[in-house]
Amino acid sequence: MIGKQTKGRGFRHLLDYLVSRDDAKLIGGNMSGRNARELAREFRLSRQLNPDAERVVYHVSLSAAKGDKLDDEKWNEIGSRYMFEMGFDANQFVIFRHHNTDDDHIHIAASRIRMDTGLLVHDSWDYVRSEKVLRQIEIDYDLVQVIGSREKLQRTPSTGQIRRIRREQEEYELGKLEQPPGRTIKEELQQTIDNASVDNPQMPELIMRLQQSGISVRTGFTRNGKSKGISYEKDGIAFSGTQLGAAYTFPGLQKHRGIDYQPQRDEARIEQLLNNPVGRTVLNQQSINASAQNKAQPLTTDKPKLKENSLAELYKYYSTELQNLLLTDRDKEIANRALLDNRPVEEVEEIILASPARWTTEEAKALVLIANNQLASNKEQKQSSPQFTPPSEDESLWPALKNYLTQQRGISSNLVETLHLKGLGYIDQQRKVVFIKRSLNGSKSGALVWDTPKQGDRCSQNSENTQSRQSWFHINLGRETDDKIERVFLCDSPIDALTLAHMDIDAHKGLPPVKTMYLVVDDPDNLPLEFLKNISRIGLAFSKDDQGKETAKTVLKLLPQSKQLPPNNHTWNEDLLEILHIEQQKRRQQQRGLSR
C-alpha cells in the first residue's frame, strides 16, 4: 500500500475534485455533510478554532497493491485506522473511494486543527511515520507488503558482491568453508549506522557512536557550515555516503534518519571528534537506549592517566547544560564539577585540555586552580551561612492553587503541572504561595513568596535560608533540552512568566522553535548580566505601571540589544485573560448559530 500526503489552504477546491469523479463514493469519516458544499461549511467549524493557522488542509491518498482486494467496509477501516495512527484522533475527516485509475485507492480530506484543543496536529517526520503505519496495516490486514522508501534508500550490493556471496554459499554447502558467507562490509556499515541512529541523536553523538563501533568517519564543511560530504571506513575499506545510499549522505542522515544537526552548536564538537576519535567500545542497542533516555553516568578509569577518548567523553559529560556559558566560564564550571566528583587535580587538568578552546598545559592548570580556590571559598561560605531549604509544602492545598492558576489566571494545566512536579510552585505550611528561585544551572537557592493575589502579582523575597543572590525564578521551553538558550523574556512576576510561556506555545502551535527562558526580575540590580549579554533576542515584558516602566528603563541601559514589549493592559496576564474572554464569546456565538 502506498500513501501520498499533501497539505494546503483551501477545502472547497479539494472537495470539488473528490466528489467530481464519476465513480467517486463517500465511504467513511466522521462528518455529516454529503456533498462538497456541505462538507466545506462543516470544515469551517475547526478553522474557526484556529483562524491564524495556515495550511490546515490535510489530503492523503492510499493506493492498494495489484493483488489486494478490498471492499468499502475494509477501506473505511483502513482509512480510519491510518488517521488515528497519524495523530488525527480529534479531527474532522472524510473518506472517498475512487476507481479512476488502474490502482484501487481512497482519498482522505481532513482538517489539521484538533477539535478538542484548537491546535494543529504535529507533523514532524510525518512521511516516515506514514510508511511505518502502512507497513503495519499491510501486516494486520494480510495485504501485499511493499518496500518502503527508507528501505529503497540503501544501495544494493554490486553484481560482484552478489557473485561472491553465492560462491561462498556453495562452498559452505560443499563443506569447503566452516561458516556461511557473512554480510558485506557495505551491509555492515549500513546496519551499524541504522542501529546508531535509531533514537535520532545529534550529529556529534552519531559520529562518536560510529567511532566506538570501529568505524572511522570523515566529513568536511564549507565556510557557511554546509557539508561537503561524509565518508565511512571499516576494516580499511572506505565508502562515501552516496555509495551507501541516499540515507547515508550528510543531508540524508538528517532527512531520512532524523539526525539532529545544528552547525553553530555542533561544528566544534564534530571537529574535536574527527581530530581525536573516540576509541572502540561495544555498541549495542542497550547502550543507545540508555543514551536516548538521558541516563549517562560519569565515566571512570582505573588507570593513573586518562586515555584521549575518555577525555573527550568526560569533557562532554561535565559540560551538560552549560552551552550558554562563554567558553572560559564553561571550562571553569566543568573543572568545578570534576573536582566535586573528587577527581584528582591532575585528571581535571587533562579533562580541560580536551576543550575546543585548545588551552595550553599552563592555561589548563590556571583554570583548575581558579576552580579549586572557588570551591574552597564556597565551602567556607556554606559553613558560615545556612544552606537553602525550601519552605515546606502543604500538599493538601495544591488542588486549590492549580484550580486558581488554570481557571482564574488562564494558564494551561500542562505548564502548571510541570511547575509543581519540579517543585517550583506550591502553597507552604503558612498558606502562602511559594515560587522557587534557581541559579542558571538549575540548583534551588531561594524563594519568592506571594502573600495574596489582592496585592498584585509581584512577589516578595523570602530571606530565610537564601543561599545566593545569583538566583531567579525562571522556566525554560524548547524542543531539545540541551539546546542553547536563544531567546529570553524578562518580566515582573512568576504569573507573567507562566503567562508568556503559555502565549508563546499558543503562538507557535506548540513548543517555541528555539529554546526560550522566561525569567523574573525581582531586583533590577541583580541580573545574570554575563549570561544575558550573550543573548541577542531579549524581550522586556514588564508591567505598565511606574515600577515596571522604571525597571524596563534600567535594564535597557544594561542590555541595549533588548526590546521593550509592554502589555496592552496592566500586565501580560490581563492580556491573556482578555484574549480568552473574546474566544469564549466567539464560541458561544457559534453555538447559538448552530442551535438555530
Side-chain angles (χ1 to χ4, degrees):
M1 184 165 288
I2 297 174
K4 296 181 180 180
Q5 306 173 71
T6 58
K7 301 179 185 73
R9 292 182 172 83
F11 285 104
R12 186 58 188 268
H13 181 72
L14 170 62
L15 292 168
D16 283 340
Y17 165 74
L18 295 182
V19 302
S20 65
R21 304 294 94 182
D22 292 337
D23 56 353
K25 185 178 182 182
L26 198 162
I27 64 169
N30 55 13
M31 303 177 69
S32 59
R34 308 310 297 172
N35 56 50
R37 185 176 180 180
E38 292 175 354
L39 290 168
R41 185 186 301 118
E42 199 171 341
F43 272 122
R44 287 180 201 156
L45 293 175
S46 60
R47 186 184 278 279
Q48 288 170 352
L49 295 176
N50 195 339
D52 296 328
E54 297 182 354
R55 299 176 66 81
V56 300
V57 180
Y58 180 76
H59 173 210
V60 60
S61 64
L62 302 180
S63 301
K66 295 289 186 183
D68 292 330
K69 303 298 180 183
L70 299 169
D71 56 21
D72 289 347
E73 184 179 354
K74 276 289 188 244
W75 263 127
N76 184 29
E77 280 184 29
I78 290 172
S80 299
R81 159 80 176 275
Y82 177 87
M83 294 301 288
F84 179 83
E85 296 288 353
M86 291 297 289
F88 289 77
D89 55 338
N91 299 68
Q92 297 173 308
F93 72 94
V94 63
I95 305 173
F96 283 88
R97 186 178 185 183
H98 284 181
H99 297 278
N100 60 313
T101 66
D102 292 338
D103 297 324
D104 185 14
H105 64 281
I106 61 172
H107 291 267
I108 305 174
S111 170
R112 295 182 60 220
I113 301 173
R114 295 180 62 90
M115 297 296 287
D116 53 353
T117 64
L119 300 179
L120 292 177
V121 171
H122 188 55
D123 63 351
S124 177
W125 300 101
D126 54 356
Y127 290 93
V128 176
R129 289 189 290 118
S130 174
E131 289 202 349
K132 289 182 178 179
V133 171
L134 292 176
R135 297 297 80 77
Q136 189 60 48
I137 287 176
E138 289 167 351
I139 295 171
D140 294 346
Y141 286 86
D142 196 24
L143 304 176
V144 175
Q145 296 185 37
V146 303
I147 299 175
S149 63
R150 284 177 71 89
E151 287 78 9
K152 292 178 182 178
L153 293 170
Q154 292 185 346
R155 287 284 183 92
T156 56
S158 65
T159 303
Q161 290 170 332
I162 294 173
R163 288 174 180 169
R164 179 186 61 79
I165 293 172
R166 288 175 178 171
R167 184 181 67 252
E168 290 180 357
Q169 179 65 34
E170 291 173 358
E171 291 177 351
Y172 170 72
E173 292 172 355
L174 293 172
K176 296 180 179 180
L177 292 178
E178 295 181 358
Q179 295 180 340
R183 292 181 300 178
T184 65
I185 296 292
K186 179 183 284 188
E187 291 172 323
E188 290 180 4
L189 279 170
Q190 291 169 335
Q191 186 62 56
T192 303
I193 296 169
D194 290 346
N195 291 341
S197 60
V198 69
D199 59 330
N200 310 124
Q202 296 178 1
M203 188 66 74
E205 177 70 19
L206 173 68
I207 291 174
M208 185 172 72
R209 290 175 181 178
L210 295 178
Q211 290 175 340
Q212 289 174 328
S213 60
I215 296 174
S216 176
V217 180
R218 290 288 179 268
T219 185
F221 300 92
T222 61
R223 290 184 179 179
N224 61 4
K226 292 185 177 180
S227 168
K228 292 179 181 177
I230 189 168
S231 64
Y232 314 88
E233 182 179 328
K234 179 178 174 63
D235 298 337
I237 302 175
F239 294 89
S240 68
T242 304
Q243 289 174 319
L244 292 184
Y248 305 96
T249 64
F250 200 90
L253 290 170
Q254 300 165 66
K255 181 179 180 181
H256 304 296
R257 292 289 180 259
I259 303 303
D260 181 11
Y261 171 64
Q262 298 179 27
Q264 291 182 344
R265 180 194 66 194
D266 297 339
E267 190 172 347
R269 294 167 63 195
I270 291 175
E271 183 180 358
Q272 175 73 19
L273 286 166
L274 298 183
N275 292 334
N276 300 283
V278 175
R280 180 168 185 165
T281 62
V282 177
L283 180 66
N284 53 35
Q285 190 65 39
Q286 184 178 2
S287 67
I288 291 174
N289 290 339
S291 175
Q293 296 169 12
N294 296 320
K295 294 182 179 179
Q297 299 295 323
L299 300 174
T300 58
T301 178
D302 298 328
K303 297 185 178 181
K305 192 172 183 64
L306 293 170
K307 295 181 179 180
E308 284 188 4
N309 61 322
S310 297
L311 294 175
E313 293 166 356
L314 283 169
Y315 182 89
K316 179 184 177 183
Y317 167 72
Y318 286 119
S319 65
T320 303
E321 295 185 352
L322 299 179
Q323 288 85 353
N324 287 98
L325 297 180
L326 294 173
L327 197 52
T328 303
D329 294 333
R330 185 198 308 172
D331 288 348
K332 287 179 185 176
E333 182 60 29
I334 288 172
N336 265 325
R337 293 180 174 186
L339 291 168
L340 285 171
D341 264 359
N342 295 318
R343 290 193 175 276
V345 170
E346 293 78 10
E347 284 190 6
V348 179
E349 291 170 359
E350 292 182 49
I351 294 171
I352 298 301
L353 286 172
S355 166
R358 302 189 183 281
W359 306 111
T360 65
T361 302
E362 293 303 317
E363 289 170 337
K365 287 182 178 180
L367 282 172
V368 175
L369 179 61
I370 293 171
N372 217 352
N373 291 339
Q374 185 64 48
L375 285 176
S377 175
N378 292 344
K379 188 175 181 180
E380 291 177 4
Q381 290 179 6
K382 286 183 180 180
Q383 290 173 347
S384 61
S385 60
Q387 188 174 1
F388 171 71
T389 303
S392 300
E393 178 184 2
D394 186 338
E395 295 184 4
S396 66
L397 297 176
W398 166 244
L401 178 59
K402 177 184 177 182
N403 182 72
Y404 175 78
L405 293 175
T406 55
Q407 302 302 315
Q408 302 299 316
R409 292 309 187 106
I411 301 168
S412 74
S413 58
N414 284 340
L415 279 173
V416 173
E417 283 288 0
T418 302
L419 182 81
H420 187 242
L421 288 172
K422 292 185 175 182
L424 302 179
Y426 52 87
I427 296 179
D428 67 6
Q429 299 291 337
Q430 283 69 47
R431 304 180 71 84
K432 295 179 180 179
V433 180
V434 173
F435 293 104
I436 297 300
K437 300 171 70 175
R438 297 175 295 160
S439 62
L440 293 180
N441 64 15
S443 59
K444 299 176 181 178
S445 50
L448 293 173
V449 175
W450 194 21
D451 290 324
T452 168
K454 295 179 181 179
Q455 296 181 359
D457 292 345
R458 290 190 179 92
C459 301
S460 59
Q461 175 76 33
N462 180 4
S463 58
E464 296 180 12
N465 296 330
T466 297
Q467 188 177 0
S468 170
R469 289 187 74 245
Q470 294 298 304
S471 62
W472 305 266
F473 176 84
H474 61 88
I475 52 179
N476 302 330
L477 290 179
R479 296 177 181 175
E480 297 293 339
T481 57
D482 58 350
D483 276 355
K484 180 179 179 180
I485 292 173
E486 297 185 29
R487 290 196 308 162
V488 175
F489 289 97
L490 304 179
C491 56
D492 296 294
S493 68
I495 293 296
D496 265 3
L498 291 165
T499 298
L500 288 164
H502 174 107
M503 296 174 79
D504 213 9
I505 291 173
D506 275 357
H508 291 98
K509 311 298 185 294
L511 292 175
V514 298
K515 192 166 185 181
T516 305
M517 173 183 284
Y518 312 85
L519 185 142
V520 174
V521 180
D522 53 288
D523 179 3
D525 294 325
N526 179 34
L527 285 170
L529 287 177
E530 291 303 315
F531 162 70
L532 293 173
K533 285 178 180 177
N534 295 295
I535 305 294
S536 60
R537 301 165 65 185
I538 300 177
L540 307 182
F542 297 107
S543 301
K544 263 190 175 177
D545 60 5
D546 292 340
Q547 184 177 341
K549 293 176 182 177
E550 190 62 33
T551 301
K553 189 184 300 182
T554 301
V555 176
L556 190 59
K557 291 179 181 178
L558 297 170
L559 302 167
Q561 79 273 30
S562 58
K563 293 182 179 180
Q564 296 199 49
L565 300 173
N568 293 322
N569 296 289
H570 181 70
T571 66
W572 278 98
N573 189 251
E574 289 180 10
D575 280 10
L576 173 61
L577 292 176
E578 183 178 70
I579 293 170
L580 294 175
H581 178 68
I582 293 172
E583 291 176 349
Q584 186 179 42
Q585 286 183 322
K586 287 182 179 179
R587 284 195 293 270
R588 286 175 178 172
Q589 291 174 356
Q590 292 168 5
Q591 290 171 355
R592 292 194 195 104
L594 289 173
S595 63
R596 290 175 182 173

